[in-house]
Amino acid sequence: MCKQVGRRQESLCHDIVHDLLITLRTLLQAFDMGAEYGFNMELLDIGGGFTAPYDEPTGRLFYTTAAVINTALDTHFPTGCGVRIIAEPGR
């Protein structure tokens, strides 16, 4: 996607980072709303399709993406919050 909009492939596009942060914040709100209605939501699947570290360029993109996601998850779903988080990296 970064390459399609003319940005370096080895960097994570600002728009994608922004979208990830907004999405995780929105998911936290959904979990909070579910709790208000008595649902005990314990699993967050952030999906798949993330680049896997098959080679050096995709490795850089993978670890950059993972750092952004982990920072946002630590903020919105910190360790001990009772939510198990899974992802499905790969092509």
Side-chain angles (χ1 to χ4, degrees):
M1 181 176 220
C2 291
K3 191 172 185 179
Q4 291 174 350
V5 295
R7 297 192 183 163
R8 293 184 338 197
Q9 186 174 358
E10 65 268 9
S11 64
L12 193 63
C13 293
H14 170 75
D15 293 341
I16 295 171
V17 172
H18 180 73
D19 290 348
L20 284 170
L21 298 176
I22 289 174
T23 299
L24 289 171
R25 190 176 315 128
T26 302
L27 286 168
L28 176 61
Q29 293 169 346
F31 270 68
D32 290 343
M33 287 173 57
E36 289 176 14
Y37 287 97
F39 293 102
N40 183 21
M41 297 169 26
E42 299 175 339
L43 177 66
L44 172 61
D45 183 344
I46 64 169
F50 304 107
T51 300
Y54 296 113
D55 55 22
E56 199 268 327
T58 59
R60 281 195 315 265
L61 181 58
F62 175 82
Y63 291 111
T64 301
T65 304
V68 170
I69 292 170
N70 286 336
T71 298
L73 288 172
D74 288 343
T75 300
H76 300 298
F77 294 92
T79 301
C81 73
V83 176
R84 187 171 59 119
I85 301 165
I86 61 173
E88 306 158 39
R91 290 185 199 208

